[in-house]
Amino acid sequence: MPAAPIFISYRRDDTAGYARAVYDALAQRFGHQRVFIDVDDIAAGQAFDTAIEQAVVGSEVLLVLIGPRWQGQRDGGPPRLHDPGDFVHQEVLAGLARGMRVIPLLFDGAVMPGEAELPAPLRPLARRQALAMDASRFAADTERLVAVLREALGEPEAGPAPPATASLPASAPATAAGRRRLWLLSALAVVLVTGGALLAWRVGPGAAPPVAERAAINGRWVAEVVYDWPNARYTEHFQFAGEAGELHGSASFLQQERGTLEGRVDPAGLSFVTRTREQLGGDDSGLAVSHRYRGRLVGDALHFVMQTEGGYSAHRPVEFVARRSAL
């Protein structure tokens, strides 16, 4: 497994959905091979602790995603973070010990823990400057994070692509015929630009562009979902972020948060996939299961159809309605 300079550390029952969103955004800017996340980068059969240790050692920046449950609170005992065998404990400790650039990212209103709240080996984390990440401004916060990472990695800031222009090759002779060809190319460019503007104008206010619909999709949603087996009614939560045709976030299944995959938004609505494993009897490994969601915005509600694929039995499509959540 090649080393990636950016390592994402997170607790699965705290910020799994956000971890996937951050990974997708950074992978688009830096390349998938330069960002490590355990879900994608640990091969089947590979020892989890060994893979994590190798990845941290080969990284330059450690992103520590901190949500309200980052410490791994437990009833009747100290948080999991205080256990030296806890994976999050090991990841943060390795980053601090190696002198890596350790950047805490705060989600869902979480605040940086004080030194007294951390186990002794991790207390230097409390003195690291954190970045607050908010779902309502995820794109802007991600751009800020990208700028910080480029500075930490010593890479120049990537500027916007230069506009396309119509021109003759530099070796073209400055003849009258050449000047006429240049004039024709320039005129063609003007026609194309003007035609595009007229087409955009003719779409008119009656058509809902993806960006406009997108603004109404981002945020938190909650739904009462009745699955296709007896007594299976669950309150599920959804968190969506992104811009244009991209979709990042999380969706709970049986009240367990899952990161969204293959997310996209178009004028017809939104779609994404989550994955789980279904176990039966003494089968410890279980079977991989995909849950494919397709939704459309109707007024203030998202109307979903979810189809489960894989597992030990067939499932019918499940329909439900999600509404905005204040939590």
Side-chain angles (χ1 to χ4, degrees), residues 51 58 77 84 94 128 144-145 171 226 244 299:
R128 300 298 176 105
R144 186 162 54 117
L145 174 60
S171 59
V226 179

Side-chain angles (χ1 to χ4, degrees), residues 8-70:
I8 297 176
S9 171
Y10 68 101
R11 192 174 296 284
R12 291 192 179 187
D13 55 359
D14 179 41
T15 54
Y18 290 120
R20 167 57 63 178
V22 170
Y23 171 81
D24 288 345
L26 297 184
Q28 289 181 0
R29 304 299 292 271
F30 295 95
H32 291 275
Q33 74 280 4
R34 305 189 67 209
V35 186
F36 179 93
I37 187 171
D38 58 356
V39 174
D40 287 348
D41 297 319
I42 297 181
Q46 190 174 11
F48 191 88
D49 53 350
T50 302
I52 291 292
E53 180 181 359
Q54 293 174 349
V56 174
V57 168
S59 300
E60 299 178 46
V61 180
L62 178 69
L63 300 180
V64 183
L65 277 59
I66 298 177
R69 299 180 298 278
W70 174 71

Side-chain angles (χ1 to χ4, degrees), residues 105-122:
L105 303 181
L106 307 178
F107 292 90
D108 286 341
V111 297
M112 276 297 295
E115 291 191 9
E117 301 174 77
L118 297 171
L122 305 188

Side-chain angles (χ1 to χ4, degrees), residues 53 56-57 59-60 62 64 88-102 120-125 127-128:
E53 180 181 359
V56 174
V57 168
S59 300
E60 299 178 46
L62 178 69
V64 183
V88 173
H89 179 115
Q90 294 178 2
E91 292 166 0
V92 176
L93 179 60
L96 293 171
R98 292 190 63 250
M100 293 170 57
R101 180 77 170 265
V102 179
L122 305 188
R123 286 175 183 169
L125 178 68
R127 298 190 292 273
R128 300 298 176 105

Side-chain angles (χ1 to χ4, degrees), residues 144-326:
R144 186 162 54 117
L145 174 60
V146 167
V148 171
L149 289 173
R150 291 198 185 281
E151 180 271 328
L153 297 173
E155 298 182 0
E157 183 176 354
T165 58
S167 63
L168 290 175
S171 59
T175 62
R179 289 193 294 271
R180 283 196 297 272
R181 287 196 297 270
L182 178 59
W183 182 89
L184 289 172
L185 286 171
S186 300
L188 178 59
V190 171
V191 170
L192 290 174
V193 171
T194 305
L198 287 173
L199 179 59
W201 178 82
R202 289 184 64 186
V203 168
V211 174
E213 186 177 8
R214 184 53 198 259
I217 289 174
N218 287 0
R220 304 171 187 271
W221 303 78
V222 63
E224 294 296 319
V225 182
V226 179
Y227 295 101
D228 60 334
W229 60 86
N231 302 317
R233 184 183 186 91
Y234 291 83
T235 300
E236 306 290 21
H237 294 268
F238 304 85
Q239 176 80 45
F240 300 130
E243 57 185 10
E246 300 176 359
L247 179 70
H248 310 298
S250 63
S252 68
F253 178 76
L254 305 184
Q255 297 181 336
Q256 295 296 312
E257 184 183 36
R258 314 284 178 178
T260 60
L261 307 172
E262 303 175 23
R264 64 179 184 271
V265 177
D266 56 43
L270 71 160
S271 62
F272 59 89
V273 177
T274 64
R275 295 196 173 98
T276 60
R277 299 196 73 84
E278 189 173 298
Q279 294 180 313
L280 183 65
D283 184 0
D284 293 332
S285 61
L287 295 179
V289 180
S290 296
H291 311 282
R292 300 189 178 275
Y293 295 78
R294 182 73 190 179
R296 57 188 179 88
L297 190 64
V298 180
D300 295 328
L302 281 172
H303 290 240
F304 278 104
V305 176
M306 188 275 284
Q307 176 65 62
T308 296
E309 301 172 354
Y312 293 94
S313 58
H315 296 273
R316 63 172 177 79
V318 174
E319 299 184 19
F320 61 92
V321 176
R323 302 188 184 280
R324 289 198 176 274
S325 171

